[in-house]
Amino acid sequence: PPQGSLLYLDALGAAFPRALARGGTAVLHWSPGCPRATAGWPLPTLYCTPAAAAVLPSRAAALRLQLLFALRQRALHVLEAGLAAELHDALVTLRTEWPRLAQELELGRLSPQPGLPEELREQLQALLSPAVARAAELRAQCARGFEGIVLRLWPRLEVVVVRAMCDTERLYCDSLRQADCRGLPFYCPFYQAAGALLGVNLWPAEPVPRFVLCPDWAFCEFLPCLASKEPQTVLLDELWEGCEYGLVVTAQPGEYRCCTGEVLKVTGFHKQCPVVEPVRRESQTLSVRGEGIPEEQFCQSLCRTLSMWPGARLVDYVCVESSLLGDSSGPCAPHYEVFLELQGLRDLSEVQRYKLDQCLQEDFPIYKSFRFKGSIGPLRLHLVGPRSFTRLREALGSPVPMPRVLREKQLLQLIQGAVIS
């Protein structure tokens, strides 16, 4: 079981020698009870949050505590998060709560918080001591704005480690690279699916993560995507470079065989082990008439649309197929509903909203055909208020990649309640 951890640390130390410098304040500790533990065994973590914070029932409270304890340590070499969305949300908290965080650092006292039991607050309080100089630095840096704030607050940082990655997380990584984490490389060390750790990234300095599939971590089978007949599963030693495969996993002996819905592309081999790049999640495909628009291609159309809305910057988005709306969708044809959080624009005209439907028609001829026939209705676009997606991720519970197509009515109702336009 420690093999994945050792490969990760070896690759990290080779690419960023000071990241694991002896005596550094990036603390390496084992945390079997921590929700960051992958695939049922403990993995090391490189942040300085007390282990007690891992038992907090509230995601927001846990992220805030991780941020507070990280802020106390100016000499951090590595900033780590389970998902890029977690780091994104922690830095949103920094933007909105930095005066209060600075006060807590200065006084060495934790404020009462929703989701933080009093007994645990006192336990964590004992680990804090006043950090007056650090509080003053936090106030000075935040007063300058938040462009490149991460490297200004932690000037010795070598790398940002995001422990899990899928295509949907790249939106957050890109946003962080362009603003808060400007100037820092990102490293995703692990590939996991269906609760199993399956591969490790041995190339931390490369911008696009790719992973060596390790033979004995789980039992994996692969369904060729371009098979002309009913596809038969193949095994690790039967994969071909350049081909795409659906992933089927049996994580542990005695567990059920699981079709994960993940599609991988084989990009090469490392010592005869396949090297793969995740390309899409089939469960996140939009399809109301069998048109099948993959999430990464929908995102490309959305980003192209944004270039036609001057001043707009995409914060987050989700889609819904109208069948989930039930009777509230009315008598109209099946269609997509898209919920966006934007910066730089407070509202959109009907002409601007139609641009997304137009781009989808241009990018997907089958969608255009259904729209022309009237069997798919026009896309409906809604704007939601700030931090709506932070609350949506809180409702998701366990740290899982953000779904881009909502399938649960409870989540749909939550995002509908945040609509402002």
Side-chain angles (χ1 to χ4, degrees):
Q3 185 182 30
S5 303
L6 296 176
L7 287 170
Y8 155 44
L9 295 175
D10 182 64
L12 180 70
F16 306 101
R18 289 186 298 168
L20 300 178
R22 183 173 296 180
T25 46
V27 179
L28 172 63
H29 65 90
W30 297 89
S31 48
C34 177
R36 300 294 175 273
T38 307
W41 65 72
L43 291 172
T45 183
L46 293 165
Y47 54 79
C48 49
T49 311
V55 302
L56 284 172
S58 164
R59 175 182 181 273
L63 289 179
R64 191 183 187 281
L65 271 174
Q66 289 177 11
L67 175 63
L68 179 65
F69 277 89
L71 286 170
R72 295 179 76 246
Q73 303 289 343
R74 189 179 192 273
L76 283 182
H77 292 175
V78 176
L79 194 62
E80 184 188 85
L83 296 167
E86 292 179 339
L87 180 56
H88 173 275
D89 291 347
L91 293 174
V92 169
T93 299
L94 176 66
R95 287 172 179 261
T96 56
E97 295 192 35
W98 65 265
R100 187 171 155 205
L101 289 164
Q103 184 180 43
E104 292 179 19
L105 286 174
E106 186 174 52
L107 300 177
R109 295 195 60 81
L110 277 174
S111 304
Q113 302 167 40
L116 182 59
E118 185 61 25
E119 182 180 350
L120 181 56
R121 189 179 79 85
E122 292 177 0
Q123 182 183 348
L124 293 166
Q125 176 70 59
L127 301 173
L128 280 176
S129 57
V132 178
R134 188 62 175 152
E137 185 175 22
L138 175 60
R139 290 188 180 104
Q141 294 297 343
C142 290
R144 287 176 51 194
F146 293 90
E147 188 86 5
I149 186 67
V150 168
L151 204 49
R152 286 191 278 120
L153 287 174
W154 295 284
R156 297 187 190 179
L157 275 180
E158 291 275 295
V159 62
V160 175
V161 172
V162 178
R163 295 170 67 84
M165 176 73 78
C166 65
D167 195 68
T168 187
E169 289 287 300
R170 288 175 190 166
L171 176 65
Y172 308 118
C173 285
D174 291 344
S175 175
L176 291 167
R177 284 192 188 102
Q178 292 166 14
D180 298 46
C181 298
R182 175 167 286 187
L184 283 166
F186 277 61
Y187 171 38
C188 176
F190 299 117
Y191 175 64
Q192 47 194 317
L197 182 64
L198 305 178
V200 62
N201 179 1
L202 301 180
W203 304 275
E206 293 187 5
V208 178
R210 53 196 182 101
F211 306 91
V212 178
L213 292 180
C214 299
D216 56 351
W217 292 2
F219 182 68
C220 296
E221 302 167 85
F222 305 87
L223 284 164
C225 289
L226 297 179
S228 56
K229 299 179 182 178
E230 186 70 24
Q232 299 293 315
T233 57
V234 297
L235 301 179
L236 276 175
D237 62 336
E238 300 173 290
L239 301 182
W240 289 85
E241 185 173 351
C243 294
E244 293 185 357
Y245 299 88
L247 176 64
V248 180
V249 170
T250 307
Q252 300 290 337
E255 292 189 358
Y256 285 109
R257 187 183 190 212
C258 171
C259 186
T260 65
E262 303 249 350
V263 175
L264 308 176
K265 181 177 182 179
V266 179
T267 61
F269 293 86
H270 177 77
K271 299 184 184 297
Q272 300 184 23
C273 289
V275 177
V276 301
E277 181 182 328
V279 292
R280 61 182 176 275
R281 298 181 296 174
E282 291 182 330
S283 63
Q284 299 298 292
T285 297
L286 277 167
S287 190
V288 295
R289 289 288 189 191
E291 68 280 9
I293 298 180
E295 64 173 315
E296 78 280 3
Q297 293 181 25
F298 178 90
C299 187
Q300 290 170 13
S301 297
L302 176 58
C303 291
R304 189 162 73 87
T305 306
L306 253 73
S307 67
M308 304 178 195
W309 299 338
R313 188 180 77 81
L314 179 63
V315 176
D316 224 328
Y317 78 95
V318 289
C319 306
V320 173
E321 295 169 355
S322 59
S323 58
L324 190 65
L325 300 171
D327 294 338
S328 63
S329 66
C332 56
H335 61 277
Y336 308 153
E337 305 242 348
V338 180
F339 299 84
L340 299 181
E341 183 179 337
L342 298 178
Q343 283 185 352
L345 279 184
R346 298 179 62 88
D347 200 0
L348 293 169
S349 68
E350 288 303 315
V351 173
Q352 287 175 311
R353 290 170 193 262
Y354 182 67
K355 290 291 185 184
L356 178 53
D357 195 285
Q358 191 175 27
C359 284
L360 285 174
Q361 292 185 50
E362 292 170 0
D363 295 341
F364 300 97
I366 188 171
Y367 178 78
K368 182 177 181 178
S369 172
F370 283 129
R371 287 284 289 112
F372 181 77
K373 296 172 187 174
S375 54
I376 291 182
L379 177 148
R380 294 179 180 176
L381 195 150
H382 311 276
L383 298 186
V384 300
R387 304 197 73 172
S388 299
F389 285 89
T390 302
R391 292 188 287 273
L392 184 61
R393 284 187 285 275
E394 183 80 26
L396 284 168
S398 59
V400 294
M402 182 74 181
R404 290 302 175 203
V405 181
L406 297 184
R407 308 289 186 190
E408 299 178 28
K409 283 199 172 182
Q410 179 185 356
L411 299 178
L412 168 62
Q413 291 166 357
L414 192 155
I415 202 68
Q416 282 179 318
V419 170
I420 57 175
S421 169

